[in-house]
Amino acid sequence: MTRRVYQTLLLLFLIAITYLFAKEVQVQGIRIPHLDKIAHFVVFFVLAFFSYHAFKFKPWFHMILLANYGACVEWMQSTLPYRQASLGDFIADVLGALSYFILLWLVRKYRMRRAEL
């Protein structure tokens, strides 16, 4: 896929998840412990994927942008009467994005070793 496609996917994903992070949550049925942390982790892993493929930045710069977005989401949630900010959610955000870049580094390292054989 081209960078333009990834940029479009990143923008659409950002719009969708920002809406979902701002939406009032109604808990019904079976409750899964720490599901919100898992969701934050997965969302930011996917955001890191789209961001990395959309723009030619160094991984550390993607991390700064994604951490700032995560902080902004938590700030936004702190201003909504039906949501609350959470340091745990922010940590899950950062760990999700960081996990993508660690996995990317490991895959590249593996491929380089395989190419040497």
Side-chain angles (χ1 to χ4, degrees):
M1 283 197 269
T2 67
R3 286 202 186 279
R4 183 65 66 197
V5 171
Y6 282 112
Q7 290 167 356
T8 302
L9 290 172
L10 175 62
L11 178 62
L12 293 173
F13 193 66
L14 279 169
I15 291 168
I17 62 169
T18 301
Y19 168 77
L20 292 173
F21 283 144
K23 188 176 190 289
E24 187 171 4
V25 176
Q26 303 282 331
V27 178
Q28 297 174 347
I30 300 172
R31 295 196 64 189
I32 299 171
H34 309 294
L35 180 61
D36 62 326
K37 307 301 182 263
I38 295 167
H40 277 261
F41 181 93
V42 170
V43 163
F44 275 76
F45 186 95
V46 173
L47 272 175
F49 170 82
F50 284 142
S51 179
Y52 179 77
H53 288 89
F55 300 102
K56 283 189 168 194
F57 301 142
K58 299 283 186 188
W60 62 266
F61 191 70
H62 287 283
M63 284 300 303
I64 289 172
L65 293 175
L66 292 168
N68 278 311
Y69 175 69
C72 287
V73 164
E74 294 309 313
W75 173 80
M76 173 191 65
Q77 288 180 338
S78 76
T79 66
L80 299 172
Y82 49 84
R83 296 299 299 253
Q84 64 185 34
S86 164
L87 179 60
D89 287 350
F90 176 73
I91 291 169
D93 297 342
V94 171
L95 290 176
L98 185 60
S99 294
Y100 173 77
F101 290 110
I102 290 171
L103 181 62
L104 179 67
W105 177 76
L106 289 171
V107 167
R108 285 182 170 172
K109 190 173 180 175
Y110 172 77
R111 287 180 179 167
M112 285 180 9
R113 279 194 177 161
R114 233 173 133 195
E116 292 173 357
L117 298 178

